[in-house]
């Protein structure tokens, strides 16, 4: 890449001749990115040529399928909370990356897709160019909130900086930049755009006072966190203590309040507390389960904090709506609350008792919990667990203790079977300092199992547990219970997973019990030079659904 003359800080850099691809890459580096997850092809040849030139500053991690590249970027974004990027060819490349983009949107993950295009002059003409797809930009617009087509090098750096800003402004989320096969390599005068300032949250002090008064007077306050609370663990923890309020976390908000704190609750106890709550503080959550499953009545007062102003009134008008980043809003609330807060007796004993009562009821899913306990016992506090869509995971959502935010990665409402392994691979690549464990079923693992080759090629020390029941077990149970055992399309013919893993060069073992799993995990975490695959042969598990889909309690 051409050398840029050093300019004193604060002064705009002088224009330098570079290609559009070089401008995009230099801008990504300027925004602190150190990796791009990618799969090459002719439309993006000049992009990869620029990546070669920048390879001392930006690593290119190439995968075996575009879904692998996009899921890796997603996992890296989920694990770090920071923007990540992937690059794929247009048409089939974009569609192959589609489920990951969809999941990035659902989880508000800042993932930038660099997508190739057919020759610039022919875009929209339906001539049948290689990988042409009708209205690619229109398809992209349905998937992400911010997208742009780079048409010349002069425009490339600013377009990249605008995308990076959009991904981190308001409700965060993915963005896409398209660039044509004949534009990536075009040279022109480029002024590199430094990161654009991200607008700070404006605090509505009147609304903060109102919220503090409501919460301060509440007899049975409840805090509900969603994925939008992941950056405000300290504030949520302090509010919980000040209000003696339990904190409900589900999936992406698990660990915002440490799971060892008796006030940290999951869905079943959270529903009991929702039934009796007089004031709810909802932080970065859609409250869909509460409003659609558990019910709401007009007596219930809700203080909502959300980065997206459109979210507040979608289903039920809150008493107080606060728009912006959770951390500064909750910090203001914490400062205001002592003036209004009632004297409160400790609820610690009550919470411990209620937690114990639910733990007893969880004995119904003891087989799953025994495996989860084995994982928790071996995984260090900041070790990361990644969900695929499988039996053990459904139990984990309510019964696996999570200690810190971003240590339990979940795809949220998309639940795309098969994301787990590749997403965890990205998380492990971005967080080489901690062990990452993917929990997959035999069905989900095979969606991206070929990325074992990527793990070997890039020496990613991910640990993957495949719970092998020879079935799309969840589907099979539904067919057994609700359709008179008319089993169709739910049995699976599997490879020998240990032999399969070894054939790639991975460490691969079989564990038959929670104890054997603990031993296998210990070996896996000690092996930091490449991936480990652990197959756990299992039968059908008891259904966990009564702890997740629970009937109405209010309204
Ligand atoms: C993309 C996608 N396709 C299909 C589904 C529907 N689905 C949910 S769970 C499941 C079966 C999962 O099987 P496996 O990974 O073996 O886990 P198990 O239930 O057997 O533990 C299926 C097909 C889905 N969630 N996402
Ligand atoms: Mg299965």
């Amino acid at each position: 890449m051409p050398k840029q003359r050093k300019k004193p800080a604060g002064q705009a850099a002088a224009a330098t001749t570079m290609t559009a691809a070089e401008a995009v890459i230099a801008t990504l580096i300027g925004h602190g990115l150190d990796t791009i997850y990618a799969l090459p092809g002719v439309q993006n040849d000049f992009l990869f040529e620029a990546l070669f030139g920048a390879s001392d500053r930006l690593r290119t991690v190439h995968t075996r399928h575009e879904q692998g590249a996009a899921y890796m970027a997603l996992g890296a974004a989920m694990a770090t909370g920071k923007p990540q990027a992937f690059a794929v060819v247009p048409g089939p490349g974009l569609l192959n990356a589609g489920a990951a983009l969809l999941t990035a949107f659902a989880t508000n993950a800042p993932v930038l897709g660099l997508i190739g295009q057919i020759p610039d002059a022919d875009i929209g003409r339906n001539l049948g160019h290689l990988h042409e797809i009708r209205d690619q930009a229109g398809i992209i617009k349905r998937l992400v909130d911010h997208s742009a087509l780079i048409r010349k090098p002069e425009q490339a750096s600013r377009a990249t900086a605008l995308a990076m800003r959009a991904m981190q402004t308001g409700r965060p989320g993915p963005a896409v930049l398209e660039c044509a096969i004949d534009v990536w390599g075009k040279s022109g005068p480029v002024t590199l755009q430094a990161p654009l300032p991200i607008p700070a949250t404006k605090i509505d002090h009147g609304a903060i006072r109102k919220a503090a008064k409501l919460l301060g007077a509440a007899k049975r306050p409840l805090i509900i966190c969603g994925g939008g609370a992941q950056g405000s663990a300290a504030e949520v923890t302090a509010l919980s203590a000040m209000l003696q309020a339990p904190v409900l976390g589900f999936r992406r908000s698990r660990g915002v309040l440490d799971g060892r704190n008796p006030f940290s609750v999951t869905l079943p106890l959270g529903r009991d507390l929702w039934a009796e709550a007089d004031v709810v503080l909802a932080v970065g959550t859609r409250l869909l389960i509460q409003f659609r499953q558990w019910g709401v009545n007009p007596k219930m007062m809700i203080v909502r904090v959300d980065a997206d102003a459109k979210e507040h009134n979608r289903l039920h008008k809150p008493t107080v709506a606060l728009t912006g980043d959770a951390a500064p809003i909750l910090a203001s609330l914490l400062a205001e609350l002592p003036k209004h807060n009632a004297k409160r007796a400790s609820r610690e004993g009550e919470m411990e008792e209620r937690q114990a009562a639910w733990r007893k009821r969880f004995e119904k899913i003891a087989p799953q919990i025994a495996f989860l306990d084995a994982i928790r016992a071996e995984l260090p506090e900041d070790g990361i667990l990644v969900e695929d869509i499988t039996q053990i995971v459904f139990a984990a959502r309510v019964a696996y203790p999570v200690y810190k935010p971003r240590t339990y990665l979940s795809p949220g409402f998309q639940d795309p079977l098969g994301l787990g392994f590749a997403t965890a691979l990205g998380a492990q690549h971005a967080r080489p300092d901690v062990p990452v464990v993917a929990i997959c079923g035999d069905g989900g693992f095979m969606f991206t199992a070929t990325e074992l080759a990527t793990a070997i090629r890039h020496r990613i020390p991910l640990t993957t547990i495949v719970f092998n029941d020879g079935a799309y077990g969840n589907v099979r149970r539904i067919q057994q219970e609700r359709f008179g055992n008319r089993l169709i399309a739910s049995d699976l013919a599997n490879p020998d997973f240990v032999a399969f893993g070894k054939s790639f060069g991975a460490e691969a073992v079989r564990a038959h019990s929670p104890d054997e799993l603990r031993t296998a995990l210990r070996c896996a975490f000690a092996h930091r030079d490449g991936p480990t695959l652990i197959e756990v042969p299992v039968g059908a598990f008891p259904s966990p659904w009564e702890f997740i889909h629970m009937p109405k309690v209010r309204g």
Side-chain angles (χ1 to χ4, degrees), residues 441-443 467 469-473 492:
D442 47 334
F467 287 94
D469 62 354
Y472 288 133
L492 298 175

Side-chain angles (χ1 to χ4, degrees), residues 20 24 117-125 137 148-157 159 177-187:
V24 169
Q117 252 294 10
I118 62 160
D120 189 69
D122 283 349
I123 292 175
R125 299 188 67 200
L149 172 67
I150 296 170
R151 304 208 81 144
K152 43 186 187 188
E154 294 87 318
Q155 199 205 343
S157 182
L177 293 173
E178 291 178 278
C179 187
I181 181 169
D182 53 335
V183 175
W184 279 130
K186 236 183 215 162
S187 289

Side-chain angles (χ1 to χ4, degrees), residues 104-346:
F105 183 76
T107 55
N108 306 317
V111 172
L112 176 66
L114 301 179
I115 316 285
Q117 252 294 10
I118 62 160
D120 189 69
D122 283 349
I123 292 175
R125 299 188 67 200
N126 303 323
L127 301 178
H129 279 285
L130 175 69
H131 300 342
E132 184 170 1
I133 183 169
R134 267 194 300 172
D135 192 15
Q136 177 164 289
I139 291 167
I140 290 166
K141 273 203 175 71
R142 298 290 171 113
L143 297 176
V144 301
D145 280 337
H146 180 100
S147 56
L149 172 67
I150 296 170
R151 304 208 81 144
K152 43 186 187 188
E154 294 87 318
Q155 199 205 343
S157 182
R158 186 159 171 86
T160 307
L162 286 170
M164 295 297 288
R165 183 175 68 178
M167 281 155 60
Q168 301 170 85
T169 300
R171 179 197 281 275
V176 167
L177 293 173
E178 291 178 278
C179 187
I181 181 169
D182 53 335
V183 175
W184 279 130
K186 236 183 215 162
S187 289
V190 169
T191 306
L192 285 183
Q193 176 67 59
L196 297 161
I198 293 169
T201 291
K202 284 201 195 77
I203 304 288
D204 176 347
H205 292 285
I208 292 280
R209 203 167 314 117
K210 199 170 163 199
K213 281 185 182 164
L214 277 181
L215 286 160
K219 298 263 180 307
R220 311 292 292 174
L222 171 64
I223 300 173
I224 303 183
C225 290
Q230 289 176 102
S232 56
E235 293 81 2
V236 167
T237 305
L239 278 167
S240 166
M242 200 178 275
L243 291 166
Q244 289 296 291
V247 177
L248 167 58
F250 185 50
R251 307 190 67 182
R252 289 192 303 118
S253 54
R254 300 289 313 285
V256 169
L257 185 65
D258 189 322
R260 290 163 292 199
N261 183 327
F263 286 80
S264 176
V265 307
T266 64
L267 283 187
L269 177 50
R271 174 173 163 273
D272 295 347
L273 294 160
W274 172 264
E276 63 199 46
D278 53 353
V279 184
V280 169
L281 171 62
V283 186
T285 166
R286 294 178 176 87
L287 289 174
L288 185 69
I289 293 175
Q290 286 72 25
F291 291 155
R292 281 289 187 253
Q293 289 182 35
W294 300 352
V296 59
N297 65 24
K299 273 209 309 224
M300 195 163 195
M301 283 180 284
I302 300 180
V303 175
R304 260 187 105 146
V305 180
D306 206 289
D308 184 352
K310 289 198 294 295
E311 201 59 57
H312 293 307
N313 295 336
R314 256 197 245 281
L315 287 170
H316 177 90
K317 198 169 164 14
T319 323
V320 182
L322 294 154
T323 304
D325 275 359
I329 290 174
L330 297 185
S332 297
L333 194 54
L334 265 173
E336 182 69 17
L337 199 53
K339 294 182 215 155
H340 309 281
N341 199 15
K343 257 203 160 358
R344 296 178 182 278
S346 166

Side-chain angles (χ1 to χ4, degrees), residues 389-391 415-417 441-444 447 469 471-475 492:
I389 323 302
T390 180
Q391 300 308 305
D415 251 6
L417 182 61
D442 47 334
F447 274 49
D469 62 354
Y472 288 133
N474 208 50
V475 176
L492 298 175

Side-chain angles (χ1 to χ4, degrees), residues 361-414:
R361 290 166 76 174
F362 284 158
E363 277 168 16
K364 200 212 147 184
I365 49 170
Q368 291 99 308
I369 290 180
F371 283 115
L372 292 170
D373 284 348
I375 297 169
R376 188 66 279 184
E378 291 303 327
L379 195 62
E381 346 205 281
D382 46 6
I384 296 172
L385 197 65
V386 183
E387 292 191 344
D388 206 303
I389 323 302
T390 180
Q391 300 308 305
I392 297 281
V393 161
F394 302 140
R397 289 176 188 174
V398 293
Y400 171 80
V402 182
Y403 303 152
K404 293 178 177 180
R406 299 198 183 283
T407 62
Y408 183 84
L409 307 187
S410 161
F413 70 84
Q414 275 305 332

